[in-house]
Amino acid sequence: MYDDLCKVAKPKISVITPSLNHGRFLRETIESVAGQSYRDFEHIVVDGGSTDGTVDILKQYPHIRWISEKDRDVMEAYQKGLSMARGEYVIQCCVSDGFLDRHWFRKCVEMLDGDVETALVWGFSQYMSEEGDLLNVAFQEFFTDPPPQKQEFISLWMANGFCFPEGNYCVRGEIIRRFFPGNQSEEYFQIHPHLGFMYMFMTQGYLPVFLPMVANFGRTHHDQRGQRLKDVEKPAQQAYLRRIREFRDDLLGGRLRHLFRDGRSNVIGEIGNQELFSWRKKTWRHRILRSRLLRLDPYTLAMKAKKRIPV
């Protein structure tokens, strides 16, 4: 099974999947990754010592590179995966998630190979129920009003802290290895390492590109990490947004110099003092026009209000 993937010695892409007692979803995730039309990749599963049959499933797929041992947290699991990764580019894929566009890897490689300025590629993510039913596409407004690209994206990020979908972005390996949170990072970024990497990626001046296609599904289920750890992840999310506000105020207040970098970390531009007024306008435009309240239909607004009003 998947003999061609067993023969990949120098993969272009490394897919990293952290896992802990979610064996019921593992097979679908593995086969979703293995079903990509682009074949120059490796799939790494970092299991945290599961006791639900996960290891038995992993043994059925000889192309998977995997370990199973206790992890302190998800940050440590990802760091193990990054240390194992041999690919030039890295994609994260949680154990309950997978890919809907079977050409996604190919599109990411074509973008990153063809444009040295681009450091990261991302697309739409679609929710999936625990039973496997496809639900809403996240950030549907981007179908008609696409997000800004490359250098312009920082104005959207400063406005609302937008995060790339964790389950589909493809990033240059040297960048995620350098800036993914580790033991020396702030505690809140260790708790929520995806946000920590997002913060470093943006503040270091790297450039993302959005591809307008539904790349992956993200499954919601009763024991997903966001549910189990919401009491500790919520403060980490608040700290992330606070750090963005501090960065934005310093940058747009002229107290911080921001350099833009290409995918090889070369400086290719900056936000100069003479441009601050323009960047303030861009950021405020996103804060106003991309407000969630403005983008909700009247029925959804009414339902949200009803939940908040005591009977």
Side-chain angles (χ1 to χ4, degrees):
M1 184 184 297
Y2 308 124
D3 291 342
D4 58 334
L5 295 178
C6 294
K7 299 174 183 178
V8 176
K10 295 181 179 180
K12 189 76 168 181
I13 294 177
S14 294
V15 182
I16 300 175
T17 296
S19 165
L20 181 61
N21 289 324
H22 286 142
R24 64 191 187 279
F25 304 128
L26 178 59
R27 195 180 302 276
E28 184 175 0
T29 295
I30 290 174
E31 294 183 359
S32 165
V33 174
Q36 285 286 304
S37 61
Y38 185 81
R39 309 304 287 169
D40 189 6
F41 70 88
E42 64 178 354
H43 192 180
I44 298 166
V45 176
V46 182
D47 180 64
S50 294
T51 58
D52 65 345
T54 288
V55 171
D56 293 332
I57 295 173
L58 290 171
K59 290 178 179 178
Q60 297 174 28
Y61 294 91
H63 71 285
I64 298 287
R65 300 179 62 214
W66 61 274
I67 56 174
S68 183
E69 59 188 25
K70 292 287 185 181
D71 297 317
R72 187 187 71 212
D73 50 30
V74 70
M75 183 196 75
E76 184 180 27
Y78 274 124
Q79 284 290 0
K80 290 178 183 178
L82 288 171
S83 68
M84 295 171 64
R86 301 172 295 174
E88 183 178 349
Y89 309 137
V90 173
I91 294 177
Q92 303 173 68
C93 179
C94 291
V95 71
S96 56
D97 301 346
F99 295 92
L100 295 172
D101 185 341
R102 65 183 303 268
H103 306 299
W104 180 245
F105 291 7
R106 183 179 304 279
K107 293 168 183 173
C108 290
V109 169
E110 289 174 352
M111 187 72 234
L112 292 169
D113 278 359
D115 184 4
V116 70
E117 282 193 358
T118 302
L120 180 150
V121 179
W122 63 284
F124 285 111
S125 180
Q126 186 166 4
Y127 296 110
M128 177 181 281
S129 71
E130 187 161 356
E131 295 74 29
D133 298 318
L134 288 173
L135 306 173
N136 293 339
V137 174
F139 306 107
Q140 296 181 32
E141 64 269 21
F142 289 156
F143 281 114
T144 54
D145 185 13
Q149 302 277 41
K150 292 190 174 182
Q151 294 186 15
E152 296 293 323
F153 182 84
I154 196 171
S155 59
L156 172 62
W157 180 74
M158 290 192 296
N160 61 19
F162 181 86
C163 284
F164 308 126
E166 187 175 357
N168 73 43
Y169 70 75
C170 182
V171 61
R172 295 185 188 273
E174 61 190 43
I175 295 174
I176 193 170
R177 290 185 184 94
R178 182 177 178 185
F179 293 111
F180 197 83
N183 293 331
Q184 304 304 313
S185 302
E186 294 91 337
E187 183 179 5
Y188 44 84
F189 283 160
Q190 294 186 43
I191 292 170
H192 209 314
H194 172 56
L195 296 184
F197 173 67
M198 179 84 190
Y199 180 83
M200 293 301 296
F201 181 90
M202 293 306 304
T203 58
Q204 292 299 309
Y206 293 102
L207 310 182
V209 165
F210 168 71
L211 299 183
M213 54 202 66
V214 181
N216 75 303
F217 64 84
R219 193 188 303 263
T220 60
H221 52 91
H222 71 279
D223 59 343
Q224 65 191 73
R225 190 181 83 228
Q227 292 294 327
R228 289 184 288 105
L229 302 177
K230 61 182 179 181
D231 290 340
V232 294
E233 287 198 344
K234 185 67 173 178
Q237 293 167 358
Q238 294 170 342
Y240 167 74
L241 294 174
R242 184 182 68 250
R243 289 290 300 275
I244 293 174
R245 288 193 298 270
E246 293 169 353
F247 174 85
R248 180 187 68 213
D249 292 347
D250 285 343
L251 176 59
L252 299 183
R255 296 182 294 277
L256 181 69
R257 184 187 184 201
H258 183 73
L259 302 176
F260 291 112
R261 304 177 190 276
D262 65 16
R264 296 173 181 165
S265 298
N266 299 311
V267 174
I268 57 173
E270 68 175 296
I271 295 179
N273 287 337
Q274 70 277 11
E275 301 169 326
L276 291 179
F277 179 72
S278 173
W279 282 99
R280 292 189 196 107
K281 285 175 55 180
K282 294 175 187 178
T283 302
W284 273 104
R285 176 184 178 276
H286 288 303
R287 292 185 71 179
I288 295 171
L289 297 183
R290 294 187 185 273
S291 166
R292 290 184 179 181
L293 288 177
L294 289 180
R295 291 176 177 271
L296 290 176
D297 61 90
Y299 176 80
T300 302
L301 276 173
M303 291 299 99
K304 286 182 174 291
K306 183 177 179 181
K307 290 180 181 179
R308 292 178 178 270
I309 300 174
V311 178

